[in-house]
Amino acid sequence: MTSSPVRPVRPPFDADERTQLVGWLDTQRAIVRWKCEGLAEADAHRAVLPHSPLMTVAGVVSHLRWVEHAWFKVLFLGEPADGNPQFDESEEDLDMKVEGVPLARLLEEYERQCEVSNEIVAAHALEETGRHSRSGRASLRWMLIHMVEETARHAGHLDAMRELLDGQKGYY
């Protein structure tokens, strides 16, 4: 994992606020992709925590894809939550149930959703607030900071899972 083409890049020290926020989020997103590189498909779906059977690499990638969709498309723009399993209250952690879905597909969906999120962020002021009632009227700035935290936390999970799965480790 030390020589990866998905090398995370930190934002410049002197960048404006938007560039820093999106830059740090993109850095964490790149770490997510980096931690998935070269992982065997069976390992991507193997749980390593005895009491968290859905906490798999594939499950985390799926979760992150849907979190991006939830915060930027649904909670910020106010679009319908159609298809987003995070809004389906019939079953807990439905967004992490991805048995049989290839990791490559999940990563492609995540990548596409991140691109959409970045387009939304680029088109709106950081002070603008979410339109969905569940957003609590959080600003786009707040949502970006939350997404950096959310993505970084799960990137850390992926780092630990990867080492437990196949011994691969690496720090950016």
Side-chain angles (χ1 to χ4, degrees):
M1 291 186 83
T2 54
S3 60
S4 168
V6 182
R7 201 67 182 150
V9 178
R10 291 180 173 138
F13 291 128
D14 59 351
D16 62 90
E17 180 183 21
R18 178 183 300 272
T19 302
Q20 288 183 34
L21 289 171
V22 174
W24 279 111
L25 181 52
D26 282 342
T27 298
Q28 296 307 312
R29 291 165 170 162
I31 291 170
V32 168
R33 291 187 303 276
W34 181 37
K35 292 301 169 178
C36 294
E37 278 189 356
L39 184 63
E41 191 64 38
D43 284 342
H45 291 274
R46 186 162 57 100
V48 294
L49 302 173
H51 301 291
S52 299
L54 298 178
M55 186 63 109
T56 65
V57 169
V60 169
V61 171
S62 176
H63 169 75
L64 286 169
R65 177 257 199 262
W66 289 111
V67 167
E68 291 270 348
H69 179 267
W71 278 103
F72 296 114
K73 299 260 310 171
V74 180
L75 300 176
F76 182 70
L77 291 181
E79 292 185 5
D82 298 341
N84 188 322
Q86 292 187 325
F87 292 87
D88 182 343
E89 296 178 6
S90 67
E91 212 173 330
E92 189 176 1
D93 298 324
L94 198 54
D95 60 336
M96 296 180 82
K97 292 187 176 186
V98 293
E99 190 61 40
V101 181
L103 180 60
R105 178 175 147 200
L106 295 168
L107 286 165
E108 287 171 15
E109 291 173 358
Y110 177 55
E111 183 76 26
R112 279 195 308 274
Q113 193 65 57
C114 291
E115 290 170 4
V116 168
S117 297
N118 281 353
E119 290 169 6
I120 293 167
V121 170
H124 295 274
L126 294 176
E127 296 77 24
E128 193 173 332
T129 57
R131 298 181 185 136
H132 191 281
S133 60
R134 279 179 54 180
S135 72
R137 303 296 294 165
S139 69
L140 181 57
R141 176 183 291 105
W142 187 97
M143 291 182 190
L144 278 165
I145 292 167
H146 169 67
M147 286 304 299
V148 170
E149 176 272 331
E150 174 91 12
T151 308
R153 182 165 28 95
H154 290 307
H157 292 141
L158 291 172
D159 193 32
M161 285 192 283
R162 184 64 191 258
E163 187 171 346
L164 290 168
L165 287 166
D166 68 2
Q168 292 294 318
K169 58 184 180 176
Y171 181 74
Y172 143 72

